[in-house]
Amino acid sequence: MTSSLLAITSLAVVVLLIYKFLVYPTYVSPLSKIPAAHLTASWSPLWILWIRYTRGEVQTIHEAHRKYGPLVRLGPNEVSINCVDGGLRTVYAGAFDKPFFYDQFRNYGISNMFSTKESKPHAARKRLLSHVYSKSFVQSSPDLSDATRIILHHRLLPSLDSVATQGLSLEALGLNYAVTMDFVSSYLFGLSRENNFIQDVEMRKRFLSWHFKRSEHAFWYQEIPRVTQWLQRIGVHLVPRWVDTANANIQSYVLHLCRAAEQSIKAASDHDDEKAHGTRPVVYSQLTDALKRAPVKTEGKKGGGGAEADELPVASEMLDHLIAGMDTSAITLTYLLWEMSRHAELQDSVRKEVCRLSPSLAIGNDSGVPSARSLDALPLLHAVVMETLRLHCPIPGSQPRQTPSKPTSIVGSPPLPGGVRVSAQAYSLHRNENVFSDAEAWVPQRWLDAPSETKDEMARWFWAFGSGGRMCVGSNFAMQELKYVTAAVYTNFITTVIDDTGIEQEDGYTTGPRGNQLTLKFTRA
């Protein structure tokens, strides 16, 4: 009797397990009506995890959308979307919070605006900083204008002119990281000798070495953080310890910049005299002042007692802005220079346009820089930047969200239960042939010559900065920075490709050239 009962119980357990993990997800779940990208995707996450581990996610998902349409199932509890109406508008403008994927973007173990998962705390955090990143503020900021003048006329253009005069070639990717690092750090912490990556080549190499090391093993904390942390507790390190060392070095460096910024504010206050334009830590000042008036709760571990409890939440935010601003703009600038270097006629056209700016960005004219508004009014320059961001988006990969507790339909699906991972990727959105004809070609003219209806549709599908309440807070800063650097380069130089081996973009979340290099020649125009 006992053995029979045990057998029946065992059989019942097996049947229940088969139903729960195979029958239900494959045939009964609301997700079962969605086309699966792989034979096993309906009942196992292992396929998509393997695709991500082997760095094939972007291309695999793109091909799945081409085959099955705008809604594809990637796993038992995961789907991908590739449309605006019913897709982006529902997910990214609605009440879809972020999943654990974004915990990897915490710094010092403390959340920041980007890593905050719930919408309301994120909105509260964003309100503290949105003012200094608004287009009107960025365009009219005297601090940023003077920092731009110094970075372009005292650092970048002299470095390029020296290379051009000697007839040497230049590895552009590393220099672009230096340029964008100097721009974003000057806005965050103020311009100083400590953040001069254009001229301090050794510091640049050291920092980039830390940066690339910490991003090489993102998969583990990104996709299976609990397993990774559990194994680490028993001595199995899926993420090498030198990644922790690289993280610690970057965090220490940024904490030093925060403390230096705080000292500069106190020094200016003590002397009752604001420092010269271009040295004020605009974003740091805004955040610290706002937090004093209205403290915001953060996710993650708490800082230590005393000053550390106050400075680590700020440092976590600053580090996130620094890395995001440096990484994405450097990748974009690299592909922009590469494309321009392969289109000599377009270089001539851009040069004619930017040479009309006043004051001129010509080498030797250090009277200032043209206004950001005048730069923003140049249609061809704008088209070049937009087309580069479209075809070579620095964040081509999926931006995951999760469905709210109330069952919600997306892209015409049955109502999906809460907790389903939903994502879109700019790579696929930007390659919709119905919107971007000849989508694999770099054609800046599409942003100039298309009918107004087509331009409006392209703008709806353009997703380099995301959309909705979580849209990139630094988009206006990034566009302005890219335009100033491009205008300065092509006012003064002709660029040609010397070595673009490995220029094809890697597959992943934030990715640059596979070869991690681009060698160009700069010749005085």
Side-chain angles (χ1 to χ4, degrees):
M1 184 69 174
T2 303
S3 60
S4 299
L5 181 60
L6 181 60
I8 293 172
T9 302
S10 300
L11 180 61
V13 169
V14 170
V15 170
L16 285 172
L17 291 174
I18 291 174
Y19 178 80
K20 181 178 180 179
F21 293 106
L22 182 60
V23 176
Y24 177 81
T26 306
Y27 302 106
V28 183
S29 165
L31 280 73
S32 65
K33 309 299 188 294
I34 300 171
H38 187 265
L39 184 65
T40 65
S42 297
W43 53 271
S44 173
L46 293 179
W47 169 77
I48 191 61
L49 286 174
W50 176 254
I51 292 296
R52 287 174 178 142
Y53 176 72
T54 55
R55 301 187 181 184
E57 177 183 9
V58 173
Q59 288 294 334
T60 300
I61 293 176
H62 182 61
E63 289 304 315
H65 280 299
R66 290 180 63 182
K67 184 175 181 180
Y68 296 111
L71 182 61
V72 177
R73 190 177 188 181
L74 303 179
N77 206 42
E78 180 177 359
V79 299
S80 176
I81 59 175
N82 189 41
C83 61
V84 177
D85 296 326
L88 297 185
R89 286 188 170 184
T90 300
V91 175
Y92 296 91
F96 287 60
D97 289 333
K98 289 184 171 181
F100 65 80
F101 174 94
Y102 291 92
D103 287 344
Q104 65 177 310
F105 295 102
R106 290 177 177 177
N107 302 305
Y108 311 95
I110 297 172
S111 68
N112 46 65
M113 179 170 59
F114 186 69
S115 68
T116 300
K117 295 191 283 293
E118 295 182 0
S119 297
K120 287 184 178 179
H122 170 269
R125 190 89 179 189
K126 188 174 183 178
R127 282 194 293 272
L128 303 180
L129 292 167
S130 57
H131 172 61
V132 293
Y133 281 115
S134 67
K135 188 170 185 176
S136 59
F137 190 98
V138 169
Q139 286 190 336
S140 60
S141 169
D143 299 288
L144 184 54
S145 177
D146 209 40
T148 300
R149 177 185 62 82
I150 294 170
I151 291 170
L152 294 181
H153 284 295
H154 292 196
R155 297 181 183 183
L156 176 61
L157 292 177
S159 297
L160 294 178
D161 193 39
S162 175
V163 170
T165 301
Q166 298 177 67
L168 302 175
S169 59
L170 176 70
E171 199 290 291
L173 178 62
L175 180 64
N176 290 337
Y177 268 102
V179 171
T180 57
M181 178 67 163
D182 284 5
F183 263 99
V184 70
S185 62
S186 71
Y187 199 52
L188 295 175
F189 305 109
L191 199 65
S192 71
R193 294 178 182 177
E194 294 186 52
N195 50 359
N196 184 353
F197 276 38
I198 294 175
Q199 295 174 329
D200 191 344
V201 178
E202 289 306 313
M203 182 61 210
R204 179 207 311 174
K205 290 180 178 179
R206 187 160 60 249
F207 186 90
L208 290 180
S209 173
W210 299 336
H211 171 60
F212 292 132
K213 282 179 180 178
R214 79 185 217 138
S215 61
E216 287 173 359
H217 298 270
F219 167 83
W220 302 107
Y221 285 117
Q222 173 181 304
E223 299 299 333
I224 49 172
R226 292 180 180 176
V227 173
T228 302
Q229 292 165 0
W230 181 81
L231 288 174
Q232 187 172 326
R233 283 195 290 269
I234 62 172
V236 178
H237 294 268
L238 297 176
V239 179
R241 292 182 178 179
W242 44 260
V243 174
D244 295 332
T245 302
N247 274 322
N249 288 335
I250 290 179
Q251 290 180 353
S252 176
Y253 175 73
V254 171
L255 196 56
H256 169 71
L257 291 179
C258 287
R259 289 167 176 168
E262 186 66 30
Q263 287 300 315
S264 72
I265 294 171
K266 290 180 179 178
S269 176
D270 291 343
H271 291 86
D272 195 27
D273 181 29
E274 189 173 324
K275 286 197 168 188
H277 287 321
T279 62
R280 191 170 69 94
V282 176
V283 180
Y284 179 87
S285 297
Q286 170 69 19
L287 181 59
T288 53
D289 288 347
L291 287 175
K292 288 175 185 176
R293 294 192 300 269
V296 174
K297 291 182 179 181
T298 56
E299 301 168 353
K301 71 180 184 182
K302 305 300 180 184
E308 188 183 67
D310 295 325
E311 65 182 359
L312 289 187
V314 174
S316 178
E317 195 70 52
M318 294 298 98
L319 176 48
D320 180 69
H321 291 221
L322 185 71
I323 296 298
M326 174 192 73
D327 220 4
T328 54
S329 293
I331 293 167
T332 303
L333 190 57
T334 298
Y335 281 110
L336 188 153
L337 294 178
W338 177 64
E339 292 285 10
M340 289 286 285
S341 298
R342 302 192 303 152
H343 296 83
E345 303 86 354
L346 190 58
Q347 283 192 52
D348 293 338
S349 298
V350 169
R351 185 171 299 108
K352 290 177 183 177
E353 186 177 72
V354 299
C355 280
R356 295 198 296 266
L357 292 167
S358 179
S360 171
L361 286 169
I363 291 173
N365 182 26
D366 190 18
S367 59
V369 293
S371 71
R373 289 182 176 86
S374 66
L375 204 71
D376 205 36
L378 301 180
L380 182 55
L381 179 63
H382 182 72
V384 165
V385 173
M386 288 290 287
E387 183 67 353
T388 304
L389 286 166
R390 182 196 70 81
L391 187 60
H392 304 290
C393 185
I395 303 182
S398 296
Q399 309 265 355
R401 299 290 187 267
Q402 61 184 16
T403 53
S405 56
K406 180 181 178 181
T408 306
S409 174
I410 55 173
V411 200
S413 74
L416 303 182
V420 174
R421 177 165 161 171
V422 184
S423 59
Q425 58 179 29
Y427 184 93
S428 296
L429 292 164
H430 290 176
R431 283 164 175 77
N432 183 343
E433 288 284 350
N434 294 324
V435 179
F436 304 101
S437 59
D438 197 13
E440 291 290 351
W442 187 76
V443 186
Q445 287 79 6
R446 76 170 79 243
W447 299 94
L448 302 173
D449 302 337
S452 58
E453 297 84 359
T454 303
K455 289 180 181 178
D456 290 343
E457 190 67 1
M458 289 194 299
R460 286 196 337 126
W461 284 75
F462 181 78
W463 214 54
F465 299 111
S467 59
R470 301 268 191 164
M471 181 178 175
C472 174
V473 72
S475 59
N476 297 311
F477 178 90
M479 289 293 289
Q480 182 168 309
E481 167 194 19
L482 291 168
K483 289 181 179 181
Y484 267 117
V485 175
T486 303
V489 168
Y490 288 105
T491 294
N492 296 281
F493 301 101
I494 299 167
T495 61
T496 52
V497 175
I498 300 298
D499 183 7
D500 61 357
T501 304
I503 194 63
E504 61 275 8
Q505 199 166 1
E506 284 192 290
D507 190 306
Y509 182 75
T510 303
T511 57
R514 290 186 184 277
N516 208 33
Q517 69 88 35
L518 171 65
T519 305
L520 301 177
K521 184 175 182 180
F522 289 78
T523 307
R524 284 295 294 268

